[in-house]
Amino acid sequence: MSADYRKMDQKDMDFLRSVCSPERVTAQGAISEDYWHDELGGIKREPEALVKVLSTREVSEIMKYAHEHKIPVTPRGQGTGLVGASVALHGGIMLDFCAMNHFLELDEVNMTLTLEPGVLLMEIAKFVEPHNLFYPPDPGEKTATIGGNVNTNAGGMRAVKYGITRDYVRGLEVVLPDGKVIEVGGKIVKNSSGYDLKDLFVGSEGTLGVITKIILRLIPLPKHKISLLVPFPDLNSAISAVPEVIKASSVPTAVEFMEREVILAAEEFLNRKFPDNSADAYLLLTFDGMSSTEIELAYHAVATRCLELGALDVFMSDTDERNESLWAARGAFLEAIKASTTEMDECDVVVPRLHVAEFIAFASSLQKKHGVRIRSFGHAGDGNLHIYILRDELDEKAWKKTLGAVFKELYDRAHELGGQVSGEHGIGHGKMDYLAAFAGETSMRLMKGIKEVFDPKMILNPGKICYDPKEEA
């Protein structure tokens, strides 16, 4: 392994313009700063070339050239990630997939959707629901690309009942670092044919191959949906109710938790009132199903159990308009928190449900200890917590020191509780050190070995997950 990448020159730019039309290739110095960072913006680097690709053929030719000349390549979708996974840390070529955004086939017999990686998540529901079909994964950022979702194995709010992105990826077309194109998986329902390469690519954050086509599994569209907003006197009683909620009836589609401070921030950000903001903590639950009787029984049982466990009230939302309003507010939490401060970073841990309340209380206690604001919300039903540390008026030196100290305590505690570094946002560059601490030496050696088998020249999205060329320099 070596960090000895070749700096690009005019010959390289000429090659890229020969593969793609010249207007789709931009050289360093003219590349918009939007491409230098992801959503959080803490990790920045300008690529040497930006290429807006349109086909697998173009990607294959570029990867073959980059492999021969040892030029790093960074795949990118909408750049909505939070860990620096789509930042060109070592320069080189950035491949922008946003224009590869076509639906290729809806197979209603096999209940699959074949599409390109640049399709936006929010467009998928619009495309399949008129056919009474449903794509369940529901990450909060609806403007993300499906390619980004697959590369991070995104989870989202419906994971409690339906699972995560990996559970709905049937097949992939992938360009390998040397330009070869392979297909893994397909429309088949099950497969016991050797190692499952498809699942290696899902969640690999563009470090093993470049995904150019995706086959998704669909399910029948649920006909009925009801949401419940349940206020509690404090966060501990809200979180403690979650295991009882899940045992009370059929599994809810989503179980989210939120605190009053986050709701108030969302109200200010959206200039729209939440149904209730008087309590300190809330659970937000959704039930869906094929019959109204099925979900009525479910939500009645859960509402009753919540009240028995100390809930202050139960607000029901049973129309599409009310549901959309409620979940739109939930979807705005990240942007609302971001708008309330100068900079922030996130701890995206996942812990066993048993320890959610304990971990959130611990995170909150760090505010006073370190003199910093911390805001949290997340998926109480599956233990995936989003803890945001806010910079506010801290200077650069104090911010870096405080952030490092808070992160260390948060990740150490998550490790003690049997958790993992990331529930859905991935590792990228920002969380590499924490992954190493959680995974241990043997697991990290295996991950690096997998990376080296797929990408022996280490050109594909270097500096992410388990390999950083700077460590080898």
Side-chain angles (χ1 to χ4, degrees), residues 280-319:
D280 284 344
Y282 294 81
L283 293 182
L284 176 57
L285 306 100
T286 293
F287 299 85
D288 66 10
M290 301 307 290
S291 75
S292 57
T293 301
E294 172 191 350
I295 63 172
E296 284 172 8
L297 289 172
Y299 83 73
H300 276 304
V302 166
T304 300
R305 189 70 184 115
C306 283
L307 291 169
E308 291 171 351
L309 293 167
L312 302 174
D313 205 338
V314 177
F315 299 98
M316 185 179 72
S317 179
D318 58 356
T319 68

Side-chain angles (χ1 to χ4, degrees), residues 135-149:
Y135 177 64
D138 187 37
E141 182 50 79
K142 303 299 186 289
T143 65
T145 62
I146 186 62
N149 282 183

Side-chain angles (χ1 to χ4, degrees), residues 3 40 94 168 221 292 312 324 369 418 423:
L40 284 187
M94 174 171 284
Y168 295 89
L221 178 68
S292 57
L312 302 174
E324 186 178 343
K369 179 176 180 180

Side-chain angles (χ1 to χ4, degrees), residues 24-273:
R24 291 190 282 116
V25 180
T26 307
Q28 189 174 37
I31 298 172
S32 167
E33 286 194 30
D34 290 342
Y35 289 97
W36 299 17
H37 59 83
D38 64 7
E39 185 68 23
L40 284 187
I43 302 169
K44 293 185 178 181
R45 173 71 190 267
E46 184 183 11
E48 294 171 75
L50 172 69
V51 184
K52 298 183 178 182
V53 291
L54 294 181
S55 69
T56 301
R57 178 194 63 80
E58 291 180 354
V59 175
S60 176
E61 290 188 31
I62 292 169
M63 289 308 309
K64 182 179 179 182
Y65 183 89
H67 186 261
E68 290 173 353
H69 295 84
K70 203 168 185 187
I71 300 170
V73 179
T74 304
R76 183 182 176 99
Q78 285 284 90
T80 59
L82 300 170
V83 290
S86 61
V87 180
L89 293 177
H90 296 273
I93 303 166
M94 174 171 284
L95 301 179
D96 177 358
F97 281 87
C98 289
M100 284 185 69
N101 60 355
H102 299 96
F103 292 99
L104 303 176
E105 181 193 40
L106 177 60
D107 184 338
E108 296 188 58
V109 175
N110 286 303
M111 297 176 69
T112 60
L113 176 65
T114 304
L115 70 176
E116 291 179 324
V119 172
L120 301 184
L121 175 64
M122 64 184 181
E123 298 297 331
I124 296 177
K126 295 176 188 176
F127 189 81
V128 303
E129 287 183 4
H131 301 271
N132 290 314
L133 293 170
F134 180 48
Y135 177 64
D138 187 37
E141 182 50 79
K142 303 299 186 289
T143 65
T145 62
I146 186 62
N149 282 183
V150 172
N151 273 296
T152 57
N153 189 28
M157 293 171 264
R158 293 196 283 248
V160 183
K161 180 176 181 178
Y162 290 113
I164 55 179
T165 300
R166 175 175 277 116
D167 301 315
Y168 295 89
V169 177
R170 280 278 170 81
L172 297 170
E173 177 185 80
V174 182
V175 178
L176 297 177
D178 63 0
K180 292 186 177 70
V181 181
I182 63 171
E183 293 187 0
V184 291
K187 293 184 179 181
I188 50 179
V189 175
K190 59 183 180 180
N191 183 7
S192 184
S193 308
Y195 298 129
D196 195 334
L197 297 179
K198 168 178 66 68
D199 273 358
L200 268 180
F201 290 114
V202 177
S204 67
E205 300 183 42
T207 62
L208 304 181
V210 183
I211 295 170
T212 52
K213 186 171 69 178
I214 302 162
I215 303 174
L216 297 175
R217 174 171 76 97
L218 305 174
I219 66 173
L221 178 68
K223 301 296 184 184
H224 302 274
K225 182 166 70 174
I226 285 179
S227 293
L228 301 180
L229 181 66
V230 188
F232 283 84
D234 53 68
L235 186 60
N236 186 63
S237 57
I239 299 296
S240 298
V242 172
E244 297 298 320
V245 163
I246 292 175
K247 288 190 295 183
S249 64
S250 61
V251 176
T253 310
V255 184
E256 300 289 293
F257 79 89
M258 59 203 73
E259 297 180 272
R260 186 168 181 265
E261 291 90 344
V262 177
I263 290 173
L264 294 176
E267 286 184 333
E268 182 176 351
F269 180 74
L270 294 171
N271 195 26
R272 182 194 306 167
K273 285 294 182 184

